[in-house]
Amino acid sequence: MNHDAPMKHDDEQRDPQGRYVTFRLPSHPRSVGRAREVLHTRIGLPGDPGETAALLLSELVTNALRHGSPPGREIAVTLYHAEGLLRVEVEDAGDRLPRPRVPGTDDECGRGLALVAALADDWGVAPRRGPGKRVWALLKVPGGGTRG
């Protein structure tokens, strides 16, 4: 698979009302940036809400890639924007549930879920069809609906 190629949206799914977009990403570090690209082009939240949404999405995708997605498996992302709320969902095939931890002062990792808990209005974990889980975060945002 060519990870340098522009992201194709062939497998992207959207509802006719433009409330959500779902897409799959390979288990590769560049997928974090590609997920943010879809967030910016399809949801397009300006200012602080957009930056917060991008950070939440980055943390959830990074966690799925590092801890949840077995090698060679894709992750799925759904961005649902309606009625002043943005729901970010990231699905992976791993059975290991995320849990916040208290990192040491010198640790370079381990703060992602604490960040999600601090920035999101709510977050959690749910089962998905097949193996794995869906980790989601909810953020109050202006507007309601995705772009083109």
Side-chain angles (χ1 to χ4, degrees):
M1 175 177 277
N2 180 0
H3 297 291
D4 293 322
M7 184 170 162
K8 294 180 181 177
H9 299 286
D10 297 340
D11 64 342
E12 186 176 286
Q13 299 174 1
R14 289 182 273 169
D15 74 337
Q17 291 80 32
R19 293 176 301 212
Y20 75 85
V21 59
T22 297
F23 54 98
R24 302 183 82 62
L25 296 166
S27 183
H28 190 276
R30 290 192 181 126
S31 290
V32 177
R34 291 177 178 186
R36 284 192 310 261
E37 175 188 326
V38 174
L39 173 71
H40 292 306
T41 59
R42 298 292 187 245
I43 306 295
L45 298 170
D48 287 343
E51 291 173 20
T52 301
L55 184 54
L56 288 171
L57 178 60
S58 294
E59 290 298 332
L60 296 183
V61 170
T62 298
N63 281 351
L65 295 173
R66 283 189 180 168
H67 308 294
S69 186
R73 298 293 300 264
E74 292 182 320
I75 62 170
V77 176
T78 299
L79 306 171
Y80 182 84
H81 184 210
E83 301 172 10
L85 295 172
L86 174 67
R87 183 178 171 107
V88 175
E89 297 181 353
V90 178
E91 296 182 28
D92 65 61
D95 56 4
R96 191 169 150 199
L97 295 177
R99 55 187 171 83
R101 67 183 189 104
V102 179
T105 55
D106 294 333
D107 289 349
E108 293 182 15
C109 299
R111 293 171 180 81
L113 287 178
L115 204 57
V116 169
L119 295 174
D121 291 294
D122 197 8
W123 76 279
V125 181
R128 72 173 198 154
R129 276 190 225 144
K133 72 218 163 268
R134 173 184 301 121
V135 182
W136 56 270
L138 193 63
L139 184 63
K140 293 177 187 169
V141 296
T146 60
R147 290 200 237 178

